[in-house]
Amino acid sequence: MSAELAAAWTDRFGDEVSTEETFGGLAVGVPPEVWVEALTFARDELSCGFFDWLTGVDELTEGFAIVAHVYSLERRHHLLVRTRIPRETPVLPTATGVYRGANWHERETQEMFGVVFEGHPNPLPLLLPDGFEGHPLRKEFVLAARVAKPWPGAKEPGESGHGAPSRRRVRPPGVPDDWGPNA
């Protein structure tokens, strides 16, 4: 089945796409310029009418990978459709015209990664509190709350006053040495 799907993508998009067999399905890489067209092709030509999820992946210098998982109930095949956008200008056209379920997922991805989905019908904040600054799933984002307040109770062996002495405390990656309660 995956070979047939890969051939369908290559027939439709030529060298613009890359295909790779993954666990349980096919992953298709498309350029951002054909993102909506690729999702429409998956829905209309490959019977992938079930939209499961869409998310971002921070790939640092390579930018952001945007991945959508769709499924065909009729043909019983999975597809991962993915594209990569630059970190400097994380903009992609909205897929809400193709899959209504993309609405929530694009809003979440915009909040968590700072990816702008052009043409989104309702780009309001979804999860984070008002006034929250930054995008918490970007790798450079420092989760300062993890070190700003010590966790109550024993965390390490020996901290409860019984047993062996505690291990040396190590700060989470990316947290400056002068942050937190031990500063």
mmCIF file with all atom_site columns, all heavy atoms in Angstrom, residues 35 39 48-55 67-72 95-96 98-106:
data_model
loop_
_atom_site.group_PDB
_atom_site.id
_atom_site.type_symbol
_atom_site.label_atom_id
_atom_site.label_alt_id
_atom_site.label_comp_id
_atom_site.label_asym_id
_atom_site.label_entity_id
_atom_site.label_seq_id
_atom_site.pdbx_PDB_ins_code
_atom_site.Cartn_x
_atom_site.Cartn_y
_atom_site.Cartn_z
_atom_site.occupancy
_atom_site.B_iso_or_equiv
_atom_site.pdbx_formal_charge
_atom_site.auth_seq_id
_atom_site.auth_comp_id
_atom_site.auth_asym_id
_atom_site.auth_atom_id
_atom_site.pdbx_PDB_model_num
ATOM 1   N N   . TRP A 1 35  ? 1.790   23.282 0.670  1.00 0.00 ? 35  TRP A N   1
ATOM 2   C CA  . TRP A 1 35  ? 1.242   22.707 1.892  1.00 0.00 ? 35  TRP A CA  1
ATOM 3   C C   . TRP A 1 35  ? -0.263  22.443 1.789  1.00 0.00 ? 35  TRP A C   1
ATOM 4   O O   . TRP A 1 35  ? -0.724  21.323 1.980  1.00 0.00 ? 35  TRP A O   1
ATOM 5   C CB  . TRP A 1 35  ? 1.563   23.624 3.070  1.00 0.00 ? 35  TRP A CB  1
ATOM 6   C CG  . TRP A 1 35  ? 0.947   23.263 4.377  1.00 0.00 ? 35  TRP A CG  1
ATOM 7   C CD1 . TRP A 1 35  ? -0.010  23.960 5.042  1.00 0.00 ? 35  TRP A CD1 1
ATOM 8   C CD2 . TRP A 1 35  ? 1.247   22.118 5.186  1.00 0.00 ? 35  TRP A CD2 1
ATOM 9   N NE1 . TRP A 1 35  ? -0.312  23.335 6.223  1.00 0.00 ? 35  TRP A NE1 1
ATOM 10  C CE2 . TRP A 1 35  ? 0.437   22.207 6.339  1.00 0.00 ? 35  TRP A CE2 1
ATOM 11  C CE3 . TRP A 1 35  ? 2.117   21.046 5.064  1.00 0.00 ? 35  TRP A CE3 1
ATOM 12  C CZ2 . TRP A 1 35  ? 0.471   21.255 7.354  1.00 0.00 ? 35  TRP A CZ2 1
ATOM 13  C CZ3 . TRP A 1 35  ? 2.150   20.092 6.074  1.00 0.00 ? 35  TRP A CZ3 1
ATOM 14  C CH2 . TRP A 1 35  ? 1.340   20.199 7.200  1.00 0.00 ? 35  TRP A CH2 1
ATOM 15  N N   . LEU A 1 39  ? -2.307  18.785 1.297  1.00 0.00 ? 39  LEU A N   1
ATOM 16  C CA  . LEU A 1 39  ? -3.355  18.299 2.200  1.00 0.00 ? 39  LEU A CA  1
ATOM 17  C C   . LEU A 1 39  ? -4.667  18.077 1.450  1.00 0.00 ? 39  LEU A C   1
ATOM 18  O O   . LEU A 1 39  ? -5.387  17.111 1.722  1.00 0.00 ? 39  LEU A O   1
ATOM 19  C CB  . LEU A 1 39  ? -3.548  19.271 3.363  1.00 0.00 ? 39  LEU A CB  1
ATOM 20  C CG  . LEU A 1 39  ? -2.392  19.321 4.365  1.00 0.00 ? 39  LEU A CG  1
ATOM 21  C CD1 . LEU A 1 39  ? -2.584  20.448 5.361  1.00 0.00 ? 39  LEU A CD1 1
ATOM 22  C CD2 . LEU A 1 39  ? -2.215  17.989 5.076  1.00 0.00 ? 39  LEU A CD2 1
ATOM 23  N N   . CYS A 1 48  ? -8.106  10.528 2.431  1.00 0.00 ? 48  CYS A N   1
ATOM 24  C CA  . CYS A 1 48  ? -7.710  10.778 3.821  1.00 0.00 ? 48  CYS A CA  1
ATOM 25  C C   . CYS A 1 48  ? -8.613  11.869 4.405  1.00 0.00 ? 48  CYS A C   1
ATOM 26  O O   . CYS A 1 48  ? -8.200  13.010 4.615  1.00 0.00 ? 48  CYS A O   1
ATOM 27  C CB  . CYS A 1 48  ? -6.242  11.172 3.905  1.00 0.00 ? 48  CYS A CB  1
ATOM 28  S SG  . CYS A 1 48  ? -5.127  9.836  3.474  1.00 0.00 ? 48  CYS A SG  1
ATOM 29  N N   . GLY A 1 49  ? -9.851  11.502 4.675  1.00 0.00 ? 49  GLY A N   1
ATOM 30  C CA  . GLY A 1 49  ? -10.827 12.452 5.181  1.00 0.00 ? 49  GLY A CA  1
ATOM 31  C C   . GLY A 1 49  ? -10.770 12.659 6.678  1.00 0.00 ? 49  GLY A C   1
ATOM 32  O O   . GLY A 1 49  ? -11.378 13.583 7.204  1.00 0.00 ? 49  GLY A O   1
ATOM 33  N N   . PHE A 1 50  ? -10.028 11.806 7.391  1.00 0.00 ? 50  PHE A N   1
ATOM 34  C CA  . PHE A 1 50  ? -9.934  11.932 8.841  1.00 0.00 ? 50  PHE A CA  1
ATOM 35  C C   . PHE A 1 50  ? -8.667  12.694 9.201  1.00 0.00 ? 50  PHE A C   1
ATOM 36  O O   . PHE A 1 50  ? -7.557  12.241 8.965  1.00 0.00 ? 50  PHE A O   1
ATOM 37  C CB  . PHE A 1 50  ? -9.922  10.551 9.499  1.00 0.00 ? 50  PHE A CB  1
ATOM 38  C CG  . PHE A 1 50  ? -9.827  10.601 10.992 1.00 0.00 ? 50  PHE A CG  1
ATOM 39  C CD1 . PHE A 1 50  ? -10.935 10.941 11.760 1.00 0.00 ? 50  PHE A CD1 1
ATOM 40  C CD2 . PHE A 1 50  ? -8.637  10.315 11.630 1.00 0.00 ? 50  PHE A CD2 1
ATOM 41  C CE1 . PHE A 1 50  ? -10.850 11.000 13.145 1.00 0.00 ? 50  PHE A CE1 1
ATOM 42  C CE2 . PHE A 1 50  ? -8.533  10.368 13.011 1.00 0.00 ? 50  PHE A CE2 1
ATOM 43  C CZ  . PHE A 1 50  ? -9.642  10.709 13.769 1.00 0.00 ? 50  PHE A CZ  1
ATOM 44  N N   . PHE A 1 51  ? -8.836  13.885 9.771  1.00 0.00 ? 51  PHE A N   1
ATOM 45  C CA  . PHE A 1 51  ? -7.716  14.696 10.250 1.00 0.00 ? 51  PHE A CA  1
ATOM 46  C C   . PHE A 1 51  ? -7.503  14.348 11.714 1.00 0.00 ? 51  PHE A C   1
ATOM 47  O O   . PHE A 1 51  ? -8.403  14.532 12.538 1.00 0.00 ? 51  PHE A O   1
ATOM 48  C CB  . PHE A 1 51  ? -8.048  16.184 10.093 1.00 0.00 ? 51  PHE A CB  1
ATOM 49  C CG  . PHE A 1 51  ? -6.997  17.092 10.653 1.00 0.00 ? 51  PHE A CG  1
ATOM 50  C CD1 . PHE A 1 51  ? -5.911  17.455 9.888  1.00 0.00 ? 51  PHE A CD1 1
ATOM 51  C CD2 . PHE A 1 51  ? -7.087  17.565 11.950 1.00 0.00 ? 51  PHE A CD2 1
ATOM 52  C CE1 . PHE A 1 51  ? -4.927  18.284 10.408 1.00 0.00 ? 51  PHE A CE1 1
ATOM 53  C CE2 . PHE A 1 51  ? -6.120  18.394 12.473 1.00 0.00 ? 51  PHE A CE2 1
ATOM 54  C CZ  . PHE A 1 51  ? -5.035  18.754 11.697 1.00 0.00 ? 51  PHE A CZ  1
ATOM 55  N N   . ASP A 1 52  ? -6.327  13.858 12.049 1.00 0.00 ? 52  ASP A N   1
ATOM 56  C CA  . ASP A 1 52  ? -6.033  13.433 13.411 1.00 0.00 ? 52  ASP A CA  1
ATOM 57  C C   . ASP A 1 52  ? -5.395  14.557 14.216 1.00 0.00 ? 52  ASP A C   1
ATOM 58  O O   . ASP A 1 52  ? -5.903  14.960 15.246 1.00 0.00 ? 52  ASP A O   1
ATOM 59  C CB  . ASP A 1 52  ? -5.138  12.202 13.374 1.00 0.00 ? 52  ASP A CB  1
ATOM 60  C CG  . ASP A 1 52  ? -4.984  11.519 14.718 1.00 0.00 ? 52  ASP A CG  1
ATOM 61  O OD1 . ASP A 1 52  ? -5.764  11.836 15.632 1.00 0.00 ? 52  ASP A OD1 1
ATOM 62  O OD2 . ASP A 1 52  ? -4.100  10.666 14.855 1.00 0.00 ? 52  ASP A OD2 1
ATOM 63  N N   . TRP A 1 53  ? -4.242  15.070 13.757 1.00 0.00 ? 53  TRP A N   1
ATOM 64  C CA  . TRP A 1 53  ? -3.557  16.122 14.490 1.00 0.00 ? 53  TRP A CA  1
ATOM 65  C C   . TRP A 1 53  ? -2.581  16.866 13.599 1.00 0.00 ? 53  TRP A C   1
ATOM 66  O O   . TRP A 1 53  ? -2.226  16.419 12.510 1.00 0.00 ? 53  TRP A O   1
ATOM 67  C CB  . TRP A 1 53  ? -2.836  15.593 15.737 1.00 0.00 ? 53  TRP A CB  1
ATOM 68  C CG  . TRP A 1 53  ? -1.953  14.398 15.531 1.00 0.00 ? 53  TRP A CG  1
ATOM 69  C CD1 . TRP A 1 53  ? -2.269  13.104 15.789 1.00 0.00 ? 53  TRP A CD1 1
ATOM 70  C CD2 . TRP A 1 53  ? -0.597  14.377 15.023 1.00 0.00 ? 53  TRP A CD2 1
ATOM 71  N NE1 . TRP A 1 53  ? -1.210  12.286 15.468 1.00 0.00 ? 53  TRP A NE1 1
ATOM 72  C CE2 . TRP A 1 53  ? -0.176  13.037 15.006 1.00 0.00 ? 53  TRP A CE2 1
ATOM 73  C CE3 . TRP A 1 53  ? 0.275   15.359 14.591 1.00 0.00 ? 53  TRP A CE3 1
ATOM 74  C CZ2 . TRP A 1 53  ? 1.093   12.654 14.564 1.00 0.00 ? 53  TRP A CZ2 1
ATOM 75  C CZ3 . TRP A 1 53  ? 1.553   14.975 14.141 1.00 0.00 ? 53  TRP A CZ3 1
ATOM 76  C CH2 . TRP A 1 53  ? 1.945   13.650 14.142 1.00 0.00 ? 53  TRP A CH2 1
ATOM 77  N N   . LEU A 1 54  ? -2.151  18.024 14.089 1.00 0.00 ? 54  LEU A N   1
ATOM 78  C CA  . LEU A 1 54  ? -1.123  18.840 13.444 1.00 0.00 ? 54  LEU A CA  1
ATOM 79  C C   . LEU A 1 54  ? -0.277  19.414 14.561 1.00 0.00 ? 54  LEU A C   1
ATOM 80  O O   . LEU A 1 54  ? -0.808  19.822 15.604 1.00 0.00 ? 54  LEU A O   1
ATOM 81  C CB  . LEU A 1 54  ? -1.780  19.966 12.643 1.00 0.00 ? 54  LEU A CB  1
ATOM 82  C CG  . LEU A 1 54  ? -0.849  20.968 11.960 1.00 0.00 ? 54  LEU A CG  1
ATOM 83  C CD1 . LEU A 1 54  ? -1.442  21.376 10.624 1.00 0.00 ? 54  LEU A CD1 1
ATOM 84  C CD2 . LEU A 1 54  ? -0.586  22.187 12.806 1.00 0.00 ? 54  LEU A CD2 1
ATOM 85  N N   . THR A 1 55  ? 1.024   19.448 14.373 1.00 0.00 ? 55  THR A N   1
ATOM 86  C CA  . THR A 1 55  ? 1.906   20.000 15.392 1.00 0.00 ? 55  THR A CA  1
ATOM 87  C C   . THR A 1 55  ? 3.173   20.547 14.759 1.00 0.00 ? 55  THR A C   1
ATOM 88  O O   . THR A 1 55  ? 3.413   20.388 13.566 1.00 0.00 ? 55  THR A O   1
ATOM 89  C CB  . THR A 1 55  ? 2.258   18.950 16.468 1.00 0.00 ? 55  THR A CB  1
ATOM 90  O OG1 . THR A 1 55  ? 2.892   19.620 17.571 1.00 0.00 ? 55  THR A OG1 1
ATOM 91  C CG2 . THR A 1 55  ? 3.167   17.875 15.929 1.00 0.00 ? 55  THR A CG2 1
ATOM 92  N N   . VAL A 1 67  ? 3.885   19.129 10.983 1.00 0.00 ? 67  VAL A N   1
ATOM 93  C CA  . VAL A 1 67  ? 3.488   17.772 10.629 1.00 0.00 ? 67  VAL A CA  1
ATOM 94  C C   . VAL A 1 67  ? 1.990   17.608 10.867 1.00 0.00 ? 67  VAL A C   1
ATOM 95  O O   . VAL A 1 67  ? 1.489   17.989 11.920 1.00 0.00 ? 67  VAL A O   1
ATOM 96  C CB  . VAL A 1 67  ? 4.257   16.723 11.480 1.00 0.00 ? 67  VAL A CB  1
ATOM 97  C CG1 . VAL A 1 67  ? 3.905   15.318 11.056 1.00 0.00 ? 67  VAL A CG1 1
ATOM 98  C CG2 . VAL A 1 67  ? 5.749   16.962 11.417 1.00 0.00 ? 67  VAL A CG2 1
ATOM 99  N N   . ALA A 1 68  ? 1.308   17.038 9.877  1.00 0.00 ? 68  ALA A N   1
ATOM 100 C CA  . ALA A 1 68  ? -0.112  16.708 10.017 1.00 0.00 ? 68  ALA A CA  1
ATOM 101 C C   . ALA A 1 68  ? -0.280  15.209 9.808  1.00 0.00 ? 68  ALA A C   1
ATOM 102 O O   . ALA A 1 68  ? 0.310   14.634 8.905  1.00 0.00 ? 68  ALA A O   1
ATOM 103 C CB  . ALA A 1 68  ? -0.942  17.480 8.997  1.00 0.00 ? 68  ALA A CB  1
ATOM 104 N N   . HIS A 1 69  ? -1.088  14.591 10.664 1.00 0.00 ? 69  HIS A N   1
ATOM 105 C CA  . HIS A 1 69  ? -1.401  13.172 10.516 1.00 0.00 ? 69  HIS A CA  1
ATOM 106 C C   . HIS A 1 69  ? -2.840  13.055 10.035 1.00 0.00 ? 69  HIS A C   1
ATOM 107 O O   . HIS A 1 69  ? -3.758  13.573 10.674 1.00 0.00 ? 69  HIS A O   1
ATOM 108 C CB  . HIS A 1 69  ? -1.240  12.433 11.844 1.00 0.00 ? 69  HIS A CB  1
ATOM 109 C CG  . HIS A 1 69  ? -1.604  10.992 11.756 1.00 0.00 ? 69  HIS A CG  1
ATOM 110 N ND1 . HIS A 1 69  ? -2.753  10.493 12.311 1.00 0.00 ? 69  HIS A ND1 1
ATOM 111 C CD2 . HIS A 1 69  ? -0.982  9.938  11.157 1.00 0.00 ? 69  HIS A CD2 1
ATOM 112 C CE1 . HIS A 1 69  ? -2.819  9.186  12.063 1.00 0.00 ? 69  HIS A CE1 1
ATOM 113 N NE2 . HIS A 1 69  ? -1.768  8.835  11.364 1.00 0.00 ? 69  HIS A NE2 1
ATOM 114 N N   . VAL A 1 70  ? -3.016  12.394 8.891  1.00 0.00 ? 70  VAL A N   1
ATOM 115 C CA  . VAL A 1 70  ? -4.349  12.168 8.332  1.00 0.00 ? 70  VAL A CA  1
ATOM 116 C C   . VAL A 1 70  ? -4.514  10.670 8.074  1.00 0.00 ? 70  VAL A C   1
ATOM 117 O O   . VAL A 1 70  ? -3.533  9.934  7.973  1.00 0.00 ? 70  VAL A O   1
ATOM 118 C CB  . VAL A 1 70  ? -4.587  12.995 7.044  1.00 0.00 ? 70  VAL A CB  1
ATOM 119 C CG1 . VAL A 1 70  ? -4.594  14.486 7.367  1.00 0.00 ? 70  VAL A CG1 1
ATOM 120 C CG2 . VAL A 1 70  ? -3.545  12.691 5.988  1.00 0.00 ? 70  VAL A CG2 1
ATOM 121 N N   . TYR A 1 71  ? -5.770  10.248 7.955  1.00 0.00 ? 71  TYR A N   1
ATOM 122 C CA  . TYR A 1 71  ? -6.046  8.819  7.844  1.00 0.00 ? 71  TYR A CA  1
ATOM 123 C C   . TYR A 1 71  ? -7.210  8.596  6.889  1.00 0.00 ? 71  TYR A C   1
ATOM 124 O O   . TYR A 1 71  ? -8.152  9.387  6.833  1.00 0.00 ? 71  TYR A O   1
ATOM 125 C CB  . TYR A 1 71  ? -6.398  8.260  9.228  1.00 0.00 ? 71  TYR A CB  1
ATOM 126 C CG  . TYR A 1 71  ? -6.696  6.790  9.259  1.00 0.00 ? 71  TYR A CG  1
ATOM 127 C CD1 . TYR A 1 71  ? -5.681  5.854  9.092  1.00 0.00 ? 71  TYR A CD1 1
ATOM 128 C CD2 . TYR A 1 71  ? -7.994  6.331  9.452  1.00 0.00 ? 71  TYR A CD2 1
ATOM 129 C CE1 . TYR A 1 71  ? -5.954  4.483  9.131  1.00 0.00 ? 71  TYR A CE1 1
ATOM 130 C CE2 . TYR A 1 71  ? -8.270  4.972  9.493  1.00 0.00 ? 71  TYR A CE2 1
ATOM 131 C CZ  . TYR A 1 71  ? -7.250  4.061  9.329  1.00 0.00 ? 71  TYR A CZ  1
ATOM 132 O OH  . TYR A 1 71  ? -7.524  2.719  9.361  1.00 0.00 ? 71  TYR A OH  1
ATOM 133 N N   . SER A 1 72  ? -7.148  7.496  6.144  1.00 0.00 ? 72  SER A N   1
ATOM 134 C CA  . SER A 1 72  ? -8.236  7.098  5.264  1.00 0.00 ? 72  SER A CA  1
ATOM 135 C C   . SER A 1 72  ? -9.020  5.978  5.921  1.00 0.00 ? 72  SER A C   1
ATOM 136 O O   . SER A 1 72  ? -8.495  4.878  6.128  1.00 0.00 ? 72  SER A O   1
ATOM 137 C CB  . SER A 1 72  ? -7.708  6.620  3.911  1.00 0.00 ? 72  SER A CB  1
ATOM 138 O OG  . SER A 1 72  ? -8.762  6.071  3.152  1.00 0.00 ? 72  SER A OG  1
ATOM 139 N N   . ALA A 1 95  ? -4.586  25.494 7.050  1.00 0.00 ? 95  ALA A N   1
ATOM 140 C CA  . ALA A 1 95  ? -5.204  24.301 6.459  1.00 0.00 ? 95  ALA A CA  1
ATOM 141 C C   . ALA A 1 95  ? -6.656  24.159 6.902  1.00 0.00 ? 95  ALA A C   1
ATOM 142 O O   . ALA A 1 95  ? -7.282  23.135 6.648  1.00 0.00 ? 95  ALA A O   1
ATOM 143 C CB  . ALA A 1 95  ? -4.415  23.056 6.858  1.00 0.00 ? 95  ALA A CB  1
ATOM 144 N N   . THR A 1 96  ? -7.213  25.190 7.535  1.00 0.00 ? 96  THR A N   1
ATOM 145 C CA  . THR A 1 96  ? -8.581  25.096 8.038  1.00 0.00 ? 96  THR A CA  1
ATOM 146 C C   . THR A 1 96  ? -9.610  24.988 6.919  1.00 0.00 ? 96  THR A C   1
ATOM 147 O O   . THR A 1 96  ? -10.709 24.474 7.157  1.00 0.00 ? 96  THR A O   1
ATOM 148 C CB  . THR A 1 96  ? -8.933  26.285 8.948  1.00 0.00 ? 96  THR A CB  1
ATOM 149 O OG1 . THR A 1 96  ? -8.705  27.506 8.224  1.00 0.00 ? 96  THR A OG1 1
ATOM 150 C CG2 . THR A 1 96  ? -8.099  26.279 10.209 1.00 0.00 ? 96  THR A CG2 1
ATOM 151 N N   . VAL A 1 98  ? -9.212  23.056 4.401  1.00 0.00 ? 98  VAL A N   1
ATOM 152 C CA  . VAL A 1 98  ? -9.142  21.663 3.970  1.00 0.00 ? 98  VAL A CA  1
ATOM 153 C C   . VAL A 1 98  ? -9.703  20.753 5.059  1.00 0.00 ? 98  VAL A C   1
ATOM 154 O O   . VAL A 1 98  ? -10.529 19.881 4.796  1.00 0.00 ? 98  VAL A O   1
ATOM 155 C CB  . VAL A 1 98  ? -7.686  21.256 3.627  1.00 0.00 ? 98  VAL A CB  1
ATOM 156 C CG1 . VAL A 1 98  ? -7.630  19.823 3.136  1.00 0.00 ? 98  VAL A CG1 1
ATOM 157 C CG2 . VAL A 1 98  ? -7.076  22.209 2.616  1.00 0.00 ? 98  VAL A CG2 1
ATOM 158 N N   . TYR A 1 99  ? -9.217  20.946 6.273  1.00 0.00 ? 99  TYR A N   1
ATOM 159 C CA  . TYR A 1 99  ? -9.665  20.161 7.424  1.00 0.00 ? 99  TYR A CA  1
ATOM 160 C C   . TYR A 1 99  ? -10.108 21.124 8.525  1.00 0.00 ? 99  TYR A C   1
ATOM 161 O O   . TYR A 1 99  ? -9.290  21.908 9.025  1.00 0.00 ? 99  TYR A O   1
ATOM 162 C CB  . TYR A 1 99  ? -8.535  19.276 7.969  1.00 0.00 ? 99  TYR A CB  1
ATOM 163 C CG  . TYR A 1 99  ? -8.083  18.179 7.051  1.00 0.00 ? 99  TYR A CG  1
ATOM 164 C CD1 . TYR A 1 99  ? -6.869  18.261 6.378  1.00 0.00 ? 99  TYR A CD1 1
ATOM 165 C CD2 . TYR A 1 99  ? -8.864  17.045 6.870  1.00 0.00 ? 99  TYR A CD2 1
ATOM 166 C CE1 . TYR A 1 99  ? -6.447  17.235 5.551  1.00 0.00 ? 99  TYR A CE1 1
ATOM 167 C CE2 . TYR A 1 99  ? -8.449  16.026 6.040  1.00 0.00 ? 99  TYR A CE2 1
ATOM 168 C CZ  . TYR A 1 99  ? -7.242  16.126 5.385  1.00 0.00 ? 99  TYR A CZ  1
ATOM 169 O OH  . TYR A 1 99  ? -6.818  15.101 4.571  1.00 0.00 ? 99  TYR A OH  1
ATOM 170 N N   . ARG A 1 100 ? -11.367 21.062 8.895  1.00 0.00 ? 100 ARG A N   1
ATOM 171 C CA  . ARG A 1 100 ? -11.876 21.956 9.940  1.00 0.00 ? 100 ARG A CA  1
ATOM 172 C C   . ARG A 1 100 ? -11.159 21.719 11.265 1.00 0.00 ? 100 ARG A C   1
ATOM 173 O O   . ARG A 1 100 ? -10.970 22.631 12.056 1.00 0.00 ? 100 ARG A O   1
ATOM 174 C CB  . ARG A 1 100 ? -13.378 21.778 10.099 1.00 0.00 ? 100 ARG A CB  1
ATOM 175 C CG  . ARG A 1 100 ? -14.132 22.339 8.917  1.00 0.00 ? 100 ARG A CG  1
ATOM 176 C CD  . ARG A 1 100 ? -15.609 22.117 9.010  1.00 0.00 ? 100 ARG A CD  1
ATOM 177 N NE  . ARG A 1 100 ? -16.155 22.728 10.211 1.00 0.00 ? 100 ARG A NE  1
ATOM 178 C CZ  . ARG A 1 100 ? -17.380 22.499 10.646 1.00 0.00 ? 100 ARG A CZ  1
ATOM 179 N NH1 . ARG A 1 100 ? -18.181 21.679 9.991  1.00 0.00 ? 100 ARG A NH1 1
ATOM 180 N NH2 . ARG A 1 100 ? -17.816 23.083 11.744 1.00 0.00 ? 100 ARG A NH2 1
ATOM 181 N N   . GLY A 1 101 ? -10.742 20.485 11.512 1.00 0.00 ? 101 GLY A N   1
ATOM 182 C CA  . GLY A 1 101 ? -10.055 20.160 12.754 1.00 0.00 ? 101 GLY A CA  1
ATOM 183 C C   . GLY A 1 101 ? -8.700  20.823 12.898 1.00 0.00 ? 101 GLY A C   1
ATOM 184 O O   . GLY A 1 101 ? -8.134  20.858 13.990 1.00 0.00 ? 101 GLY A O   1
ATOM 185 N N   . ALA A 1 102 ? -8.165  21.364 11.822 1.00 0.00 ? 102 ALA A N   1
ATOM 186 C CA  . ALA A 1 102 ? -6.865  22.039 11.887 1.00 0.00 ? 102 ALA A CA  1
ATOM 187 C C   . ALA A 1 102 ? -6.946  23.329 12.698 1.00 0.00 ? 102 ALA A C   1
ATOM 188 O O   . ALA A 1 102 ? -5.925  23.817 13.184 1.00 0.00 ? 102 ALA A O   1
ATOM 189 C CB  . ALA A 1 102 ? -6.346  22.325 10.486 1.00 0.00 ? 102 ALA A CB  1
ATOM 190 N N   . ASN A 1 103 ? -8.135  23.865 12.876 1.00 0.00 ? 103 ASN A N   1
ATOM 191 C CA  . ASN A 1 103 ? -8.320  25.128 13.579 1.00 0.00 ? 103 ASN A CA  1
ATOM 192 C C   . ASN A 1 103 ? -7.652  25.105 14.949 1.00 0.00 ? 103 ASN A C   1
ATOM 193 O O   . ASN A 1 103 ? -6.791  25.926 15.248 1.00 0.00 ? 103 ASN A O   1
ATOM 194 C CB  . ASN A 1 103 ? -9.821  25.418 13.720 1.00 0.00 ? 103 ASN A CB  1
ATOM 195 C CG  . ASN A 1 103 ? -10.103 26.764 14.330 1.00 0.00 ? 103 ASN A CG  1
ATOM 196 O OD1 . ASN A 1 103 ? -9.347  27.289 15.129 1.00 0.00 ? 103 ASN A OD1 1
ATOM 197 N ND2 . ASN A 1 103 ? -11.229 27.334 13.963 1.00 0.00 ? 103 ASN A ND2 1
ATOM 198 N N   . TRP A 1 104 ? -8.024  24.178 15.799 1.00 0.00 ? 104 TRP A N   1
ATOM 199 C CA  . TRP A 1 104 ? -7.483  24.100 17.149 1.00 0.00 ? 104 TRP A CA  1
ATOM 200 C C   . TRP A 1 104 ? -5.985  23.835 17.130 1.00 0.00 ? 104 TRP A C   1
ATOM 201 O O   . TRP A 1 104 ? -5.216  24.465 17.848 1.00 0.00 ? 104 TRP A O   1
ATOM 202 C CB  . TRP A 1 104 ? -8.216  22.990 17.917 1.00 0.00 ? 104 TRP A CB  1
ATOM 203 C CG  . TRP A 1 104 ? -7.920  22.969 19.378 1.00 0.00 ? 104 TRP A CG  1
ATOM 204 C CD1 . TRP A 1 104 ? -8.616  23.600 20.354 1.00 0.00 ? 104 TRP A CD1 1
ATOM 205 C CD2 . TRP A 1 104 ? -6.831  22.294 20.020 1.00 0.00 ? 104 TRP A CD2 1
ATOM 206 N NE1 . TRP A 1 104 ? -8.047  23.355 21.575 1.00 0.00 ? 104 TRP A NE1 1
ATOM 207 C CE2 . TRP A 1 104 ? -6.940  22.556 21.409 1.00 0.00 ? 104 TRP A CE2 1
ATOM 208 C CE3 . TRP A 1 104 ? -5.779  21.507 19.577 1.00 0.00 ? 104 TRP A CE3 1
ATOM 209 C CZ2 . TRP A 1 104 ? -6.048  22.052 22.332 1.00 0.00 ? 104 TRP A CZ2 1
ATOM 210 C CZ3 . TRP A 1 104 ? -4.874  21.005 20.510 1.00 0.00 ? 104 TRP A CZ3 1
ATOM 211 C CH2 . TRP A 1 104 ? -5.023  21.279 21.869 1.00 0.00 ? 104 TRP A CH2 1
ATOM 212 N N   . HIS A 1 105 ? -5.556  22.901 16.299 1.00 0.00 ? 105 HIS A N   1
ATOM 213 C CA  . HIS A 1 105 ? -4.140  22.505 16.262 1.00 0.00 ? 105 HIS A CA  1
ATOM 214 C C   . HIS A 1 105 ? -3.242  23.641 15.769 1.00 0.00 ? 105 HIS A C   1
ATOM 215 O O   . HIS A 1 105 ? -2.127  23.803 16.260 1.00 0.00 ? 105 HIS A O   1
ATOM 216 C CB  . HIS A 1 105 ? -3.970  21.259 15.387 1.00 0.00 ? 105 HIS A CB  1
ATOM 217 C CG  . HIS A 1 105 ? -4.673  20.067 15.941 1.00 0.00 ? 105 HIS A CG  1
ATOM 218 N ND1 . HIS A 1 105 ? -4.075  19.184 16.809 1.00 0.00 ? 105 HIS A ND1 1
ATOM 219 C CD2 . HIS A 1 105 ? -5.937  19.614 15.773 1.00 0.00 ? 105 HIS A CD2 1
ATOM 220 C CE1 . HIS A 1 105 ? -4.931  18.238 17.150 1.00 0.00 ? 105 HIS A CE1 1
ATOM 221 N NE2 . HIS A 1 105 ? -6.079  18.475 16.523 1.00 0.00 ? 105 HIS A NE2 1
ATOM 222 N N   . GLU A 1 106 ? -3.709  24.403 14.800 1.00 0.00 ? 106 GLU A N   1
ATOM 223 C CA  . GLU A 1 106 ? -2.924  25.546 14.336 1.00 0.00 ? 106 GLU A CA  1
ATOM 224 C C   . GLU A 1 106 ? -2.831  26.624 15.407 1.00 0.00 ? 106 GLU A C   1
ATOM 225 O O   . GLU A 1 106 ? -1.770  27.231 15.579 1.00 0.00 ? 106 GLU A O   1
ATOM 226 C CB  . GLU A 1 106 ? -3.533  26.116 13.055 1.00 0.00 ? 106 GLU A CB  1
ATOM 227 C CG  . GLU A 1 106 ? -3.303  25.249 11.860 1.00 0.00 ? 106 GLU A CG  1
ATOM 228 C CD  . GLU A 1 106 ? -3.885  25.804 10.575 1.00 0.00 ? 106 GLU A CD  1
ATOM 229 O OE1 . GLU A 1 106 ? -4.576  26.849 10.596 1.00 0.00 ? 106 GLU A OE1 1
ATOM 230 O OE2 . GLU A 1 106 ? -3.641  25.186 9.530  1.00 0.00 ? 106 GLU A OE2 1
#
